[in-house]
Amino acid sequence: MSQTAPLAVLAEVIRSGFTEGRHHGSLVLLAADGSVEYALGSPDAPVFPRSCAKPFQAVATLRAGLDLDGELLALAASSHSAEAFHRDGVRRILASAGLDESALRTPADLPLDETEAELHLRAGGERAPILMDCSGKHAGWLAACVANGWDTGSYLDPAHPIQRLALEALEEGTGAPAAHAGVDGCGAPLLAVPLTSLARAYRSLVLADPGTPQRRVADAMRAHPEYVGGTRRADTWLMRAVPGALSKMGAEAVQVVALADGRALAFKIDDGSERARGPVLAAALRRLGVTTGDGTVERIAEAPLLGGGVPVGEVRALV
């Protein structure tokens, strides 16, 4: 987000009845027809979407001719928790192209999910490329490279055919050229786009014609939400609880959700705070009129502050 763009207070930190801090950012909600229904801050200023770009990067994999489907296609668009079924899926994608984990150029990492990371370390595990939350996306790209006879060693180069396809898919979805180019945490090319355009891009995924690459990615993610995130992740909970919802988080507290009828939301918390993501997401969903009846939105909203190991406050959304 531009340092000169005006930001709004999206959440405040309340400890023992005292406002301890505030999280600033920008947010946009779209009506079913794609028009802006509500906005805070500067949603037309470009941001790095981080992993919210993954559905379009998966579209590129399909356009390259790789016939992924089901849970493996969802995994190619994921920020997974590196649970056993995620790791198995990554290996299945690689094996289908005659590759193994050594082909991955994701940095060695621990599982994104804290509980999974603790379990891995207690079992004597170490950081590894397959554990990085982007390894599903990278595996899909690598398999597409093999299918086309493209070089697998340079698949992260912005000039590589798979990255050109990824750029085209994102720009097509957002309807505008990228404002800036950079490098994501996994080493992949990264493009800056406005939040409003990003919300409309997700809207285009859920409203795309059946059978198109865009709709195939959206359908796979919604049918297999546990592969998009993990068993303890808000994206998974939301897609399970709200029929037709497409939800994806990105690093630095970027979040996008599109509903089956075309309504959508996108926001970025400027300081990248993960503790504010859930409360802001839940408040934005409520403002869109989303209810689940099973407590999912309330579960997503929970962000207690502890004192002496017990709750003494909360992160409260101001959306």
Side-chain angles (χ1 to χ4, degrees), residues 3-283:
Q3 294 179 352
T4 60
L7 302 174
V9 178
L10 299 186
E12 57 186 3
V13 183
I14 309 297
R15 179 179 294 275
S16 303
F18 179 78
T19 302
E20 185 172 46
R22 296 169 180 84
H23 294 289
H24 297 77
S26 295
L27 172 145
V28 64
L29 306 183
L30 302 182
D33 64 0
S35 62
V36 174
E37 182 174 285
Y38 180 74
L40 293 170
S42 300
D44 291 329
V47 303
F48 280 136
R50 304 301 297 267
S51 286
C52 292
K54 284 179 176 171
F56 305 95
Q57 293 165 330
V59 166
T61 300
L62 294 181
R63 287 180 170 174
L66 189 65
D67 192 24
L68 276 184
D69 218 335
E71 72 273 14
L72 297 186
L73 180 53
L75 190 59
S78 75
S79 296
H80 64 73
S81 294
E83 296 173 67
F85 64 91
H86 295 128
R87 301 193 300 272
D88 176 68
V90 173
R91 294 187 182 106
R92 286 165 59 196
I93 295 172
L94 292 169
S96 71
L99 301 172
D100 60 26
E101 296 173 43
S102 65
L104 291 168
R105 291 190 59 198
T106 43
D109 207 348
L110 292 173
L112 183 63
D113 179 82
E114 291 183 2
T115 299
E116 199 64 33
E118 289 179 4
L119 292 171
H120 180 73
L121 291 172
R122 287 175 184 172
E126 299 178 343
R127 294 177 183 270
I130 196 171
L131 300 178
M132 206 267 176
D133 64 284
C134 299
S135 65
K137 172 181 75 176
H138 284 241
W141 280 343
L142 282 162
C145 288
V146 171
N148 286 277
W150 297 335
D151 180 57
T152 57
S154 61
Y155 74 93
L156 295 181
D157 189 318
H160 193 282
I162 194 65
Q163 299 304 335
R164 292 202 300 270
L165 287 172
L167 168 63
E168 291 170 5
L170 182 61
E171 290 188 332
E172 180 181 300
T174 60
H180 190 79
V183 181
D184 209 343
C186 66
L190 181 64
L191 303 171
V193 296
L195 286 170
T196 303
S197 298
L198 191 59
R200 287 181 174 140
Y202 269 63
R203 180 177 178 274
S204 73
L205 292 173
V206 301
L207 297 179
D209 291 336
T212 61
Q214 294 92 331
R215 184 62 175 272
R216 285 178 62 190
V217 170
D219 287 351
M221 293 173 70
R222 293 181 291 184
H224 303 279
E226 67 279 5
Y227 279 84
V228 178
T231 56
R232 292 174 289 271
R233 300 275 296 284
D235 285 332
T236 301
W237 303 338
L238 182 58
M239 287 190 282
R240 282 177 176 167
V242 181
L246 180 67
S247 180
K248 186 74 190 69
M249 58 79 71
E252 293 298 313
V254 183
Q255 181 75 46
V256 191
V257 178
L259 303 177
D261 64 1
R263 288 175 293 159
L265 69 88
F267 66 81
K268 175 173 170 31
I269 298 164
D270 194 51
D271 64 7
S273 175
E274 284 301 313
R275 68 178 178 178
R277 183 196 299 273
V280 172
L281 173 57

